[in-house]
Each structure stands twice: as structure tokens, then as C-alpha cells.
Amino acid sequence: MEQLKTIGRELAMSSQGGGWAGQSKEFLDLVKSIGEARSKAEEDRIILREIESLRRRIAEPDVPRRRMKEYIIRLVYAEMLGHDASFGYIHAVKMTHDDSLPLKRTGYLAVTLFLSDDHDLIILIINTIQKDLRSDNYLIVCAALTAACKLINEETIPAVLPQVVDLLAHSKEAVRKKAVMALHRFYQRSPASVSHLVSNFRKRLCDNDPGVMGATLCPLFDLITEDVNSYKDLVISFVSILKQVAERRLPKTYDYHQMPAPFVQIKLLKILALLGSGDKQASGHIYNVLGDMFRKSETSSNIGNAVVYECICCVSSIYPNTKLLDAAVEATSKFLKSDSHNLKYMGIDALGRLIKINPDIAEEHQLAVIDCLEDPDDTLKRKTFELLYKMTKSTNVEVIVDRMIDYMISINDNHYKTEIASRCVELAEQFAPSNQWFIQTMNKVFEHAGDLVNIRVAHNLMRLIAEGFGEDDEGADSQLRSSAVDSYLRILGEPKLPSLFLQVICWVLGEYGTADGKYSAAYIIGKLCDVTEAHLCNDTVKAYAISAIMKICAFEIAAGRKVEMLPECQSFIDELSASHSTDLQQRAYELQALLCLDRQAVENVMPLDASCEDFEVDTNLSFLDGFVEQSIENGASPYIPESERAGMSSVNNFRSPYQQEASGHTLRFEAYELPKPSSIPVISQVSISAPTADLVPVPDMTYYRESDQASKISSVAEASSADIGIRLRLDGVQKKWGKPTYSSSSSSTTAEKATNGVTHVDGGVKSQSRDISHDSRRQQSEVSSEKQKLAASLFGASASKTEKKPASTHRVAKGNTANAERSGVTRAVSPEISKAKVAPSSPPPDLLDLGEPIMPTSTPTMDPFKELEGLIGPTLTPASLDNPATTSGPKAPDLMALYTDMPTGSSSSGVTLASGDAYSADKSSSLAKSVPTTKKGPNPQDSLQKDATARQVGVTPTGNNPNLFRDLLG
Amino acid sequence: MIHFVLLISRQGKVRLTKWYSPYAQKERTKVIRELSGLILTRGPKLCNFVEWRGFKVVYRRYASLYFCMCIDAADNELEVLEIIHHFVEILDRYFGSVCELDLIFNFHKAYYILDEILIAGELQESSKKIVARLIAAQDSLVEAAKEEASSISNMIAQATK
């Protein structure tokens, strides 16, 4: 019997699509040689050779169509491996025109993989897609719709839109479903072009086919995200759909790992979360079903947890309900206590959502959070930082930001570095307990991620130093400044500093370097010159440096002291006066000019500490009135305001009608209309904006437009400091910092905690860099007390006193619940296994009756291949009929393998099977023993078969990679 | 939304790529290199998620093959993990205990199957049976066409004898 199956299978493989016999020997050899390639270079060489030969052969006249199909597949292969196969695109496009479905499908597959939606060749496919969308064969329509999803862009949407809309009422559900998805894609591309069709989605929600309904949820989710209020009426429908899904009213085929249509449930929960957000009435409808879902939640499988997580998200988004919140908190704590990193990650994320509603929730889980923070898994760590970021208060800001900065220093990933740096800055701005701390923190951030942070941050820092606290406490402000100057002078000794940080340093030294009289002007100027020499800096930094030198000189002159030019400073000025950058030249000459002025003039030009002074900009340019009048008298044409200029520009700019056409972004797919007698040209936006840019007076001085960077710096000598003031003011950034949030009574406690936290941070980081597990075990008691300290500083003062007791009981409780959980898992999993094992043979009674209805009898109907038999019927060749029959045999054990393979949740349950609680252990352990034997059975056999087939087609498995034959699910 | 799907072997060889968001060819190579460096080095017990360029990449290892999907930061990672598994189960049914070699030689079939499961970066069908039915319908059509072609060529061969 077994042998018969094998033969049948081989036959099936050679004739049906499942085998490798469809392709020529050449192609198989190619794939094989790629598989055997030992290096990327070798692989590249093989592919390049292949591309060359394809380029030659594809261009030959009269290539048979079947051969061409294979060429195209080979091109796909080459492109997949990262090589350019653009010479063959046109052939793929041609193949879509073919009448036979297999070729057409190949063509569509290739073009969807090759072309992006703005490729020039798309225009050649539109017509084919249009034709295919009208085809009688629903498979062709499906192929065309799939291609349309990928290839149709904003301009071509009108060409296919009417047909896609018609297909929404097609008799085949597969077509309706794809039409919905295509329409969704069109909506994403260009909401305006399909906005009038949005009601169709509502209609499709009531489709008889659950697949179409499920697909409709995707566009509806997008639409609701955009505009919640127009869909409030659907809340009840969504809730009732969700209820029905959860009650297993959908066909069994939508079950996934014993869950009823979990993907649909998740989508519905996402939608409900949007609809219920901040809406008490809508949320009222949702409470019931959410409560049911929590009660029935299935936490032994991954997908069950996915649904539970989505429920938590929904609860945290809708109008709060205490009962549901409790359920969500409970589910979250289960996640956090899980051994699986995936679940911990989800737990941390869920916690981040829940603390928005009730910040106290975090306290209960502080140890779990700290464990995650110290976990070697980077992903988990980052997620935990995100959580900490969300729960930062003025009491714990120091610990959190210090941790973040330490982590920031330790990573190389620039993207994340930027993110975490900007978070540090944001938190520091919002919650800084003291200015010293703020400046130190900023210095650290700039030093280690200076080139990654937003330039706005630097401006904010300068403004802060200039403006101080916003209080009238000059003493504190000047103390802040001098401490900043001190720290900067110290930092300048470091070898490599980011340019943005150097800019800040230069500016601060220029403004306040000599303000407190601690440092002499010559010393500061010397330092500034060193900056430009020691750090290979760009023009921006040089500009900052020379402006700073100029300010110091000006202050010196104003104070009546004589400025002696250091030789290095003089050479710096000389260098800049000959610079390629006109901006730098300008500054250098201005400085030299300034040095020749007398005290009175200098004081006016460069007043002391004037960076915060408001600077009035005369946007009307009234000071030019005289000049304008004079010009008009001399015969210049008067200025015409923008509004009156409309008629003229259309005359002047004859291109405007074309431009308008281009800006409309529509290709026309119908025939052109008859030409009308010269229409009145309408002026497009484009044509107006061009002239205005030149005519409207721009207050910026044109000479420092040279580079973007340079224009941001104050280049005008008269008011360089004032200019910066104005730029900062125009930033439009809300001033977050400045409110002293702490009172003197609480400051002492925060300081204390801070020291705790800081010392701990050092220890923590060191132990991480060393062998973590070893280290932590050796000083476990110490670490736990350290952790508690950290917890105390993170989670507020109340925790610190009562820390020890709850922590220990917490641990015990954790153990208990973990046990309980595990036994629960065992119970839940064992029936699955029994079912899976039992399914192929005659169904014995369900061993553990958990009230799940009639599983064993329903499994045979779940097999799609049985369905296939019915579908394909007598037209099929006997060989391919054999295949489903034979594969259904070894199938069942594979299914089982699939359950044991699951890395989360159930994988640990596999281990606990043997040691689970007494009741289920009896049954499940016997099962567990039989599982491996049956599981191992078919897999080597399968691979042997594949091996045999491989040899048949001339592919020899190489010794170095036997993995290729291993079942993915095995 | 799923931005792309990658199948990478443990040696870092690309087995399948599908891009739902626009990436230029050069960018694609870079993404693959970056991600395989990130994912292939991760230990077995760690999260199946990686944060990357503001997105999240969910991956799952089957034998020596890594299935990776890149999703938005707000998406449900566990769900995507199961979408991957859903895909693998369907592949498994189609090929009969699917192994890496099946995907190597039949990557175009894997693409067809993927097209039935995901469309425009969204899950379009969560029923294995319906996907299997559609794929079978397409295959049977291919089959019919092949037979037709071979019978015609036989006739021609006989006629020209």
C-alpha cells in the first residue's frame, strides 16, 4: 500500500505541477549550480552568464511560446537574486497579451515582479488588463485583478475603474474579493479617484461569502482611520459580525488552529478600537462582545494570543470600562510572565497601552519590566525603552534618560539611534529636574548622536541657554551659562565631535564665553581657533566659529579693552577671506571691518547679550519706498499685485495650458473630443507660482542663499545674535521646558533616587557587557536588590518602601500561576494532538471532552484535497487524481508536527506534556510517545522521494546542504 | 500592511522576494543584505520580531528557511507570525510536506500561491481550502492546455509522417 502511494506520488509529481519536471534540464542545472555556489561572487558570475545567454536567446526570432515562458521564469529568477533583467521586461509584457492562461499568468507574474507602478511599460499592459477584466474565464479575471493591484497607478486608475467596479458583483466570490482588494489599492493610491465608490465597500460587507466580507474589512479599516464619524452607524454591524465569528458561525474552512476565523476577528477588533475611541456610546455596544472574547480566550496557541492582544488593544482604545480593563490587565500579566519572548514583547506593548488609562498598572509588573530591560534580546529591550518613554515622569526622568543614553551609546543602528536620541531630548526638555542635568544630558546626546539629531534640537538648546528659565532670576541664568561654558571647554578636548554639537559650542562660547570674566577673551578665541583646526569641520561650523570670535572681539572693544589678534586667529581670518564660500568670506571681512570701528559703533553693532532681543522685520519693506518712487519717476513700470496679475501671466506664459494638463495627473483613455474654438486659457497654479517667486520681495538677503546651511546662520554683522533669536522664535516650537516642576521638598528625594539609579546603571551596564548569565547568577541576591532599587526609582516613591515584601510574594505567586498556566496548556493541547493523530483513521471518541463540538468527524471535510476531487472530477488524469489521495495519508502526521513545531506557547506545552497534571498526563504522555514515531515516519520518506525525483531530473543533492530536503514543517 | 515578503535560507541565499511597497532594485539588495545580517544571527529563543528602519520585521524559521515579512509599527506581530504559518501550511498542502528544494525549483508556483493569500500587502484569504481550490483550478487549466498542446503536436507529427 505504502509503495503504491509512493508510485502514485511520483507519477503525480511528474505530471502535475507539483514536480520539477515542468522545466528544461538547462533551467534545473542553473538552479542547481546556484544552489551549489559557495560564495556570492560565484553566484553572481553564474547569473551574469545566464543573463548574457538569455539576452541573446530571447531576442532570437520565433522563440516558441513555451520556451519563452521558461525564459521569462529564468529572468524572474535572475531578478530575484538581485540582478538587472530589464532587457526582458518587454517580453514579459508581450506574454501578458497571450491568449492561453498559463502563458498569460506567467506574463502577469513576471510584470508584477519586474515593474513598479511608474514604469514606462505599464501603458502597454493597460489594454490587456482592460480586456482580461472582461474575460469570461474567471481565472483570467483574477490574474488581471492581481496584476492591477500592483501595476495600476494614479494616472491609470480611470482606465480600469469602471470594470473593477462591475466585478464587485461578479458571480465568483474569488473575483469579488479581488475586486474589493483592487479597489482598496486604488483608494490607497489616490483617494480622490475612488471616493465616490466608497459606498460599495459597505455593500460588500454584507456579502454572502465570508472571504469577501473579510477582504472588505481591509478597505473599511483604512476608511475608518481617515474618518471615524461617518462609520459610527456600522458599530452594531461589526459587533454582530464579530459575535457570530466568535460563536463559530462561519464555515469550518475559516478555522485556523481551532480558532474561528481569527484573522477576521483581529481585523474587526482593530476597526472597533477605532470606532469606540473616545466614544462612550459606541463603546457601550462593544463591551459585551469584548467581555465574551476575554472569557473564551484561548491562550495556548499563538493565534489565540494574537486575538487576546488585539482585545487588549481594543480595550485600551475605547472608552474605559473597569471590568474589561481588569480582564485586559490580567491577560497582559499573563503575557509578561510567559517564558516566550514573543509574548513578553506583546505584554510590554500592551502594558504601554494600558498605562495610558491607568498609570498604576505598571507598578505591579515592575520586576517583569526590568527583566525585559536587561534581557539580551535587543528587540525586547527596545520595546521596553518605548514603555519607559511612555511612563516617564519628573520623578524618574533621570534614571530613564540615563539608561536610554547608555543604550544609545552601545548601539550602531543609526535609525534607532536617531529615534532614541530625539526621545531623550524630548524627555529631558519636558521633565528636566535641573539645568545642570539638562545641559549634561544634552551634551551626552550631542556627543554620541550629534549628527543624527534634528537641527531644531540644537536651536532649542541654544535658546534655552540664552533665555534661561524664563524667570527673572538672572543669577541662576548666568550660572547656567557659565556651567555650560565650563562643560563645553572641557568637551572640546575630546577628539571627535559631531558638527551640530560644535555649532552649539561655538555659539555658546561666542555669546557667553567671556561673560562671567572667568576666562580671558584670548583664551576663548584660541579655543575657537583650535576647534576649526582640530576638527575637520564644515563651512557651517567655521561660520559659527568666526561669528563667535567676532562677538568676543566686539564685547572686548565695547568693554574698552584692546583686542590683540592671536597669530592663529589671524591666519584663520585670512583663510576664510579667501574661502570659496561667499558666506565665510563675508563674515571674515565683517570681522576685520569691525576691528577698525570705535567703541561706540561696535556697541551698537554688536550689543552684549542681545540674543533674546526681539527683532522687528519690516515685511512691507517701507524703507524702500523712496527708492521705488524714484525708479518710477525714472520710468520704471509700477508693481502689479499678484491678484491683478492673473490675466497677464497667461499671455506671457503660453505654456500654462500644458502645465495645467500635467498637473491634473490624468491620462485620457478615451478618444479625444473635437477641438473647440480657442478656449479661454485658465491659469494653473503652477504658472502663477513661478513668477511670484521672483516678484514677491523676499526679506532674506540673497547673498547667503548659497547653501541651505549657511542661510540658517546669522550672517549679517549688524545683528547676528538678534537674527538667531528671530530664527528660533520663528521655529514655531512650543516651549516645553522652563516650568520648574519640582518643589524644594521633593527635590531632595529625587536626588537621592537619582544617585541610586545612577550607580545602578553603571553596574547594570558592566554586567551586561560581561557574561550576563554567569554574572547575574553569581550575584543574584545583589542584583535583585539592585533591581528593586531600580524599580523603586522607575516606578515611584511608594514602591520603594514596600518593595521587598510584595516582590517576594510576587515571585511565589508567579510560580504558582505559571504552574497553573502550564497545566491549562497541557489540557488544551492534548485534545488537539489526539485529534490530529486520530483524524486519518476511524475517529474514536474524543478523549477529553472539552465541549468542542464534533471535531473528529469534521476533519475529513476540512481536507481541501477531498474538495479538489469533487471539483476537478473526471476530466483529471488518473495520475493527478492519485496525488490528493496519497498525500492525504501522510498529511495528518505533518499537521501534528506543525503543532509541536510552534515556537511559542505550545512548544513549552510539548515539554510539559509528560510532567503535566495527573489527569491529562496519562493520556497525553502516551500520545506524546507515539507522536514522534508517527511524525518521523513520513518525513524521511518524503525527503527520500524528493531525493529520488531530484536525481531523476538530474539534480544531485550536495553534501553540504542536506537541509534542502528537510520538511519545512518537520 | 505588509511591505515585503522575503524567504532567505540560513546561508543567506534568497529563495523568494515579493515587494508590496516600491523599492528600487539597488535598495532591494541592500534591504536583503541588511535583514539577513540582522535575522540570521539571532538566537533561537529570542523574539520573532526585529525593529528595523521604523518598521517591524516578523520572521519565522522553518528547517533551514527563514520566512520574513516587513510590517508597519502598529501592526499585530503575532498575527503576522500566523500569516507566515498560514502560508507555509498552504505550501505544505500543495507540495506535500514542502521542503526548501520544492521552493527552489518551483519558486514561480510559490509566487502564485502567495498571490492568492496576500494581495497589495493585505491578507486577502484566510481559508486554506479556498486558496487550495483556486490554485488547483489554475493548475488544472494549465494541465488542460498542456494536454491540448501535446495532442495537437501529436496530430501534427502524425500528419507530417
Side-chain angles (χ1 to χ4, degrees), chain A residues 503-520:
Chain A
Q503 292 169 28
V504 176
I505 292 177
C506 288
W507 187 82
V508 172
L509 289 184
E511 283 286 329
Y512 305 110
T514 53
D516 59 354
K518 198 164 151 192
Y519 302 102
S520 71

Side-chain angles (χ1 to χ4, degrees), chain A residues 101 310 342 864-865 942 946, chain B residues 47-48 76 93 97 102 141:
Chain A
L101 177 65
E310 209 57 59
N342 285 351
F865 293 100
D942 277 349
K946 277 185 182 149
Chain B
C47 286
N48 288 63
N76 183 337
R93 283 190 187 205
S97 323
D102 287 319
L141 217 72

